[in-house]
Amino acid sequence: MKIGIDKIGFYTPHLYVDMNKLAVSRNVEPEKFTIGIGQSKMAIPPISQDPVTLAANAALEILDNEDKEKIDFVIFGTESGIDNSKSAGVYVHRLLGLNPHARAVEVKQACYGATAGIQMAKGHIALNPDSKVLVLGSDIARYGLNTSGEATQGAGAVALLISAEPRIMELEENNVYLTDDIMDFWRPIYSDKAFVDGKFSNEQYILFFEKVWEQYKAKTDLSLKDFEAICFHLPYTKMGLKALRAVLDEAEEEDKERLLANFEISRKYNRNVGNIYTGSLYLSLLSLLEQKDDLQSGAKIGLFSYGSGAVGEFFTGILQPNYREHLHIAEHTQLFAARKEVTVAEYEEIFQETLPIDGSTLELDVTNDPATICLAGMKDNMRQYVNKED
Ligand code: HMG
């Protein structure tokens, strides 16, 4: 039985800041952000969007009534969750109107959470072939104004429907993974911003990739020529390029060219959104599948997941016949086209808006937020969500 990705949904907030303008305001050369970091636009979440609403909006576009009935497991990968006890998956389960006889949990290991969710989902489907699992990767990346990480912030979510006989990508076996207790990036419970040792995190990301790639080759006897493309977790898009370059010397010229050309396509969406942590790898996969129209079914795609702290995993998928028919290309083109630019000053103001933490009531105006599912306010320390279609 094949198990893999049957549908992929994506959502990013409707606001963005232009990286050229952010660079000017931070007194750095724009090319540092657009080439050195590899980012063009950074998604800005309004206060009416949080990781729950981003994930719910991403899932909303892909689920039909049959999916809603068959999903019996919601796995929410996030590292910017809204509650230290209740899982974000439970909120999404209700907002989407899923079958009550389902499990809903949250999984955390930095940007690796959704990958862990996918692997758990595979096991669940192997035991329950008729069921479907909704895996969510949703985050808001915050380092702070005027920090070196600022240019690598972002916001968005990816929703993956995992099932038997998937229509987009079969996920193969032979995964290789690695854990090492390091402090490259972390966020203590009392902080809403991440702490990071930037240079060390870059080195570790590449080292993890090299190690799992070596292990994968030893396990499978495969090499770069067997891959149509390799997608990476993209904290900023230059990071994936650095990791790819670290192994490219092993490849023949034509394989090198193909992998580099496909990498460019796989970073298009991420370049315009920023880091979405758990969803970043899958946003890159989506970018490749939706923006390259001549990928053949049967092609093998490599996927490198990295979550600081750190856990890395390399695994592979095979594109299924007619997979393009099951993508949501028009919706995503429209989502990007409808976004609105904010100035750096407006972004800074939005960044500093906070929700009450003293139990007081706040009602948010959601009329300016085009998202279907929004955070409408706070009451008695509880977030109040609204699905405008209900
Ligand atoms: P920085 O110190 O501001 O930048 O930090 P830099 O001085 O290293 O410059 C960045 C690049 O721009 C360099 O390229 C420069 O040469 C280039 P490189 O040498 O590295 O290839 N540059 C220029 N290029 C063209 N024209 C110019 C120009 N000027 C400079 N004029 C850093 C950058 C990424 C460290 C910082 O933004 C940061 O700390 N970000 C957050 C951490 C991060 O993203 N780490 C990535 C690996 S860890 C990871 O992926 C996990 C994560 O997603 C979290 C999780 O798992 O939950 C972060």
Side-chain angles (χ1 to χ4, degrees):
M1 176 176 69
K2 291 181 184 175
I3 302 175
I5 303 172
D6 191 56
K7 294 183 180 179
I8 312 179
F10 165 59
Y11 189 76
T12 190
H14 71 293
L15 304 176
Y16 73 88
V17 77
D18 185 308
M19 295 304 281
N20 291 290
K21 294 178 186 164
L22 184 65
V24 170
S25 132
R26 300 298 182 248
N27 287 320
V28 302
E29 287 176 22
E31 292 76 17
K32 174 173 173 184
F33 287 176
T34 55
I35 299 168
I37 298 284
Q39 294 301 131
S40 303
K41 292 176 180 170
M42 183 167 89
I44 309 297
I47 196 159
S48 50
Q49 290 295 311
D50 70 9
V52 167
T53 61
L54 294 171
N57 285 309
L60 197 63
E61 72 173 8
I62 58 167
L63 302 184
D64 58 26
N65 288 337
E66 193 200 327
D67 298 328
K68 289 183 185 179
E69 203 44 48
K70 286 203 160 176
I71 290 171
D72 62 359
F73 201 176
V74 179
I75 308 177
F76 196 125
T78 186
E79 58 174 293
S80 50
I82 57 152
D83 196 296
N84 287 321
S85 173
K86 180 168 172 169
S87 129
V90 172
Y91 294 97
V92 171
H93 175 272
R94 196 247 313 159
L95 286 163
L96 297 174
L98 302 183
N99 172 10
H101 295 284
R103 296 175 175 138
V105 297
E106 189 170 306
V107 173
K108 178 173 67 188
Q109 176 27 57
C111 300
Y112 175 75
T115 302
I118 289 173
Q119 305 313 325
M120 288 159 74
K122 277 176 70 183
H124 181 79
I125 301 290
L127 292 173
N128 306 278
D130 286 337
S131 81
K132 297 186 182 194
V133 182
L134 179 62
V135 177
L136 302 157
S138 178
D139 277 297
I140 296 177
R142 282 168 72 87
Y143 294 90
L145 303 176
N146 281 296
T147 60
S148 69
E150 184 181 29
T152 64
Q153 295 177 154
V158 173
L160 301 151
L161 191 64
I162 307 296
S163 73
E165 307 311 327
R167 286 170 292 180
I168 295 179
M169 179 183 261
E170 176 194 1
L171 293 167
E172 296 187 291
E173 299 306 322
N174 287 327
N175 297 32
V176 287
Y177 24 87
L178 183 70
T179 293
D180 193 10
D181 182 3
I182 56 166
M183 294 305 280
D184 61 331
F185 168 108
W186 65 104
R187 187 170 65 83
I189 279 172
Y190 51 78
S191 175
D192 73 338
K193 298 181 199 76
F195 292 80
V196 65
D197 185 340
K199 300 279 177 248
F200 181 56
S201 72
N202 290 351
E203 286 161 22
Q204 289 299 314
Y205 177 112
I206 293 174
L207 194 65
F208 266 67
F209 176 59
E210 289 173 336
K211 283 186 177 171
V212 289
W213 174 241
E214 283 305 314
Q215 196 192 353
Y216 180 81
K217 283 187 298 181
K219 192 173 176 181
T220 61
D221 270 339
L222 296 174
S223 67
L224 289 175
K225 72 172 173 357
D226 297 297
F227 289 85
E228 184 62 29
I230 299 180
C231 294
F232 292 83
H233 163 56
L234 294 178
Y236 57 96
T237 74
K238 177 82 168 287
M239 187 72 249
L241 183 60
K242 288 186 197 202
L244 180 60
R245 280 180 181 157
V247 300
L248 270 189
D249 279 351
E250 301 169 12
E252 300 293 332
E253 200 48 43
E254 75 175 285
D255 298 325
K256 235 184 235 182
E257 278 169 25
R258 180 186 66 256
L259 292 169
L260 281 170
N262 286 339
F263 175 77
E264 283 308 317
I265 301 171
S266 74
R267 68 162 154 171
K268 277 189 178 175
Y269 284 179
N270 305 66
R271 174 181 267 290
N272 288 296
V273 172
N275 195 356
I276 58 167
Y277 291 158
T278 45
S280 287
L281 167 62
Y282 305 98
L283 180 58
S284 176
L285 173 65
L286 192 64
S287 183
L288 177 74
L289 301 187
E290 294 191 345
Q291 294 296 310
K292 186 168 165 70
D293 55 16
D294 59 352
L295 273 179
Q296 300 298 311
S297 63
K300 189 191 282 293
I301 312 288
L303 297 136
F304 174 60
S305 180
Y306 179 79
S308 281
V311 179
E313 180 152 346
F314 185 79
F315 61 108
T316 59
I318 302 291
L319 292 179
Q320 297 303 292
N322 305 319
Y323 70 91
R324 275 186 81 76
E325 289 170 16
H326 306 289
L327 298 169
H328 288 72
I329 303 173
E331 288 88 335
H332 297 149
T333 307
Q334 170 62 17
L335 181 70
F336 279 112
R339 292 197 303 172
K340 185 171 160 277
E341 183 179 349
V342 293
T343 63
V344 174
E346 285 166 334
Y347 142 63
E348 290 176 345
E349 201 177 304
I350 295 169
F351 188 89
Q352 290 174 98
E353 275 182 307
T354 51
L355 295 168
I357 53 167
D358 60 356
S360 57
T361 299
L362 171 75
E363 278 183 31
L364 294 170
D365 178 6
V366 296
T367 52
N368 290 328
D369 186 337
T372 305
I373 296 175
C374 295
L375 174 64
M378 289 281 291
K379 196 174 172 224
D380 298 332
N381 291 303
M382 290 181 271
R383 291 187 187 221
Q384 309 295 311
Y385 291 109
V386 55
N387 181 337
K388 293 176 186 169
E389 284 174 356
D390 282 348

